[in-house]
Amino acid sequence: MGELPPDEIDGIGATLALGADSILRLRWERGISIAEEDARRAMDRVNDLCDGARHPMLVDMATTKAVSRGARTVFGLPCSASRIALLGASQVDKVIANFILGVSSLPCPTKFFTSEPAALVWLKEG
């Protein structure tokens, strides 16, 4: 079975795909501010796509502008992700990720990376 192209998630500025390697890939548009409703739609779509199974997830959040308090709350709820690698490209991304990691009680192991290959290795370890 080949890898399917990512699907747009209800016009929220994100795409989601489940790869042939069983890794979910959630990619947010560059420069986006993630609101609670955006986070809720994304996590609902993750759960729908997984259909009861659990998969590691790579979240590309490079150049994300902001993540609202409500979105952080949603990201702290259990979902079908078994582990989450947050992928960023800059110090600003790292600050946002650390704020998410430090403030939220996350439902699964979650770690920030600036290297996609390193993030994928970590996801496959779990």
Side-chain angles (χ1 to χ4, degrees), residues 19-88:
D21 57 3
S22 294
I23 294 177
L24 292 160
R25 286 171 173 80
L26 174 61
R27 297 194 188 277
W28 293 96
E29 285 181 2
R30 302 301 183 236
I32 195 167
S33 291
I34 303 170
E36 181 176 353
E37 185 59 28
D38 302 330
R40 194 171 308 285
R41 285 185 186 173
M43 293 302 96
D44 286 348
R45 185 70 183 102
V46 164
N47 293 332
D48 290 346
L49 183 61
C50 290
D51 194 28
R54 292 182 54 104
H55 295 277
M57 181 165 62
L58 177 70
V59 178
D60 184 343
M61 54 167 284
T63 71
T64 296
K65 191 175 190 178
V67 179
S68 75
R69 179 179 296 174
R72 290 191 304 273
T73 299
V74 171
F75 292 143
L77 299 173
C79 70
S80 293
S82 57
R83 328 181 79 178
I84 299 172
L86 301 172
L87 181 63

